[in-house]
Amino acid sequence: MSAADSTPGSGEQQDGCRTREVLDIVGDKWSLLVVRHLSQGPRRFTELKRAIDGISQRMLTVTLRGLERDGILTRTVRNVMPPHVSYELTPMGRTLREATAPLLEWSIEHLAHIDAARASYDARDRAPH
Amino acid sequence: MSAADSTPGSGEQQDGCRTREVLDIVGDKWSLLVVRHLSQGPRRFTELKRAIDGISQRMLTVTLRGLERDGILTRTVRNVMPPHVSYELTPMGRTLREATAPLLEWSIEHLAHIDAARASYDARDRAPH
DNA sequence: CGGAATCCCCCGCGATACTG
DNA sequence: CAGTATCGCGGGGGATTCCG
């Protein structure tokens, strides 16, 4: 609720703007995938790279940096040869993971339905009569 | 939990790929905002356009078409002058809205923390000594 | 092994103008 | 009012190369 106003037309949906912010944080192509792949424990760079299908090393680096900057994961370097860097969710990162769980379950539950809806939509305007 | 597997290392994260799919559906810049603004009932095109700050008519149209195609909302045209088109969440659309609620609450709850984390991260590598 | 730097392309998206 | 059509750019992100 926060400071909800009841006057529609001017200052409403202040909390709707939060949707914008959460998307700015994890709405990119890879962040949620990285978070998800860290949910079971620390992972090394190359492990993540192999686990997340299609990600480039550049985007993995960029994504990890962003999540580290946001305090969602930690980066731990062991100064040995060869280098050993591991990434791990912070407590806040784990709460993020939990917050995304419903959305994930939703997609699992409704994906078939969506495919069907798409097919029927495409058929609809392709065969006018 | 759903169909959780307990064998880490090989066949895991099959469901992690769903993260990809849900992002393909609502991970774009505007979809979740539209869904959120429809959560309180049907809205007309211009209502949405004014309510969603910064959206162009083009992107509103594109986003609405996509969500309609996915079966997340319905488009109802009343053939009058001037035209009257209203959009409304389907039952599935409402479940989507509910599934995103935790993520929204998460952002509200942690946004300040994230800003702080960013500030400290930026200060960290900007002032090496 | 885990990056950083560079190049470059694609397309998401905004701006503008025109229609029924 | 509720769109469609067209143009143009900015930047997200892939491919490649080099480094400690």
Side-chain angles (χ1 to χ4, degrees):
Chain A
M1 291 289 161
S2 66
D5 64 307
S6 49
T7 63
S10 91
E12 61 179 331
Q13 270 108 8
Q14 233 64 7
D15 53 340
C17 295
R18 303 300 181 151
T19 309
R20 171 81 302 118
E21 320 207 46
V22 71
L23 286 178
D24 287 342
I25 296 168
V26 295
D28 59 283
K29 196 172 178 183
W30 303 108
S31 286
L32 283 184
L33 279 169
V34 169
V35 168
R36 186 121 221 307
H37 278 271
L38 286 177
S39 62
Q40 297 151 24
R43 291 288 185 270
R44 299 180 57 176
F45 186 88
T46 315
E47 287 181 307
L48 289 171
K49 173 140 175 39
R50 281 184 312 176
I52 301 173
D53 193 59
I55 197 171
S56 64
Q57 71 284 55
R58 172 183 142 76
M59 283 319 295
L60 181 54
T61 301
V62 169
T63 303
L64 287 168
R65 285 291 183 277
L67 293 172
E68 184 195 3
R69 185 169 107 101
D70 290 347
I72 289 170
L73 55 79
T74 60
R75 176 174 181 265
T76 306
V77 182
R78 274 203 271 154
N79 240 339
V80 296
M81 273 303 289
H84 187 291
V85 181
S86 78
Y87 296 89
E88 183 173 16
L89 290 182
T90 62
M92 184 170 74
R94 262 172 257 128
T95 67
L96 170 60
R97 163 60 182 71
E98 289 164 21
T100 63
L103 193 54
L104 191 60
E105 289 191 30
W106 181 89
S107 75
I108 293 173
E109 194 170 344
H110 294 280
L111 211 62
H113 193 310
I114 288 178
D115 280 341
R118 285 181 177 174
S120 101
Y121 182 94
D122 293 344
R124 205 171 305 157
D125 66 358
R126 185 162 313 185
H129 65 88
Chain B
M1 290 295 157
S2 65
D5 66 304
S6 48
T7 63
S10 104
E12 60 180 332
Q13 271 110 7
Q14 232 66 5
D15 52 341
C17 296
R18 303 300 182 149
T19 309
R20 171 84 298 123
E21 319 205 46
V22 71
L23 285 177
D24 287 343
I25 296 168
V26 295
D28 60 282
K29 196 172 177 182
W30 302 108
S31 286
L32 283 185
L33 280 169
V34 169
V35 168
R36 185 125 221 307
H37 279 271
L38 286 178
S39 62
Q40 296 151 24
R43 291 288 184 269
R44 300 179 56 174
F45 186 89
T46 314
E47 287 181 307
L48 289 171
K49 174 140 174 40
R50 281 184 312 177
I52 301 174
D53 193 59
I55 197 170
S56 63
Q57 70 284 58
R58 172 183 142 75
M59 283 318 295
L60 182 54
T61 301
V62 170
T63 303
L64 287 169
R65 285 291 183 277
L67 292 172
E68 185 194 4
R69 186 169 107 102
D70 290 346
I72 290 170
L73 55 79
T74 59
R75 177 172 180 266
T76 306
V77 183
R78 273 202 271 155
N79 242 337
V80 296
M81 273 304 288
H84 187 291
V85 181
S86 76
Y87 295 89
E88 183 172 17
L89 290 183
T90 62
M92 184 170 74
R94 264 173 257 128
T95 66
L96 170 61
R97 162 63 182 69
E98 289 164 21
T100 64
L103 193 54
L104 191 59
E105 289 190 31
W106 180 90
S107 75
I108 293 172
E109 193 171 344
H110 294 281
L111 212 62
H113 193 312
I114 288 178
D115 280 339
R118 285 181 178 175
S120 100
Y121 181 96
D122 293 344
R124 206 172 305 156
D125 67 357
R126 183 162 315 186
H129 64 88

